[in-house]
Amino acid sequence: MKYIFERNPDTGDIFRREFGNYNKREKINNMEKISLYDYLGHAAGSDVGQQVAFAAAKAGVMTETRQVSNPVYKGPVMLYPRSFLDLYFKGGLNEGSSGKQLLKG
């Protein structure tokens, strides 16, 4: 089953609906957010980090930050919903006909 994920720009709520079904949608609460390091298992690098941040902003994905401190890096890292990272790295992001970025799973 394929799903479309949409964000309400007024409330920030994220909804999921079946692809092609405009009548029924489900609010998704408490999406697990993780860093690129946690997702990839290694440092992503600044280029990949900037590309993912840009795609998330364009798609209206709600992000968070977390402070980390280790021998290699000290500072903030971005956290993204795992479902967004799955779609981003598996090529599932598509442009909707309205010009709004949609997450297609």
Side-chain angles (χ1 to χ4, degrees), residues 28-45:
I28 297 176
N29 296 320
N30 196 16
M31 295 180 84
E32 175 192 14
K33 292 189 174 100
I34 61 172
S35 69
L36 288 175
Y37 183 90
D38 293 334
Y39 184 80
L40 298 172
H42 58 81

Side-chain angles (χ1 to χ4, degrees), residues 3-41:
Y3 292 94
I4 298 291
F5 294 85
E6 300 170 314
R7 180 180 167 269
N8 181 321
D10 297 325
T11 64
D13 293 332
I14 298 176
F15 296 88
R16 176 178 89 162
R17 64 176 171 82
E18 289 182 32
F19 185 74
N21 182 353
Y22 298 93
N23 298 322
K24 182 180 176 188
R25 67 181 188 164
E26 165 188 7
K27 183 176 178 182
I28 297 176
N29 296 320
N30 196 16
M31 295 180 84
E32 175 192 14
K33 292 189 174 100
I34 61 172
S35 69
L36 288 175
Y37 183 90
D38 293 334
Y39 184 80
L40 298 172

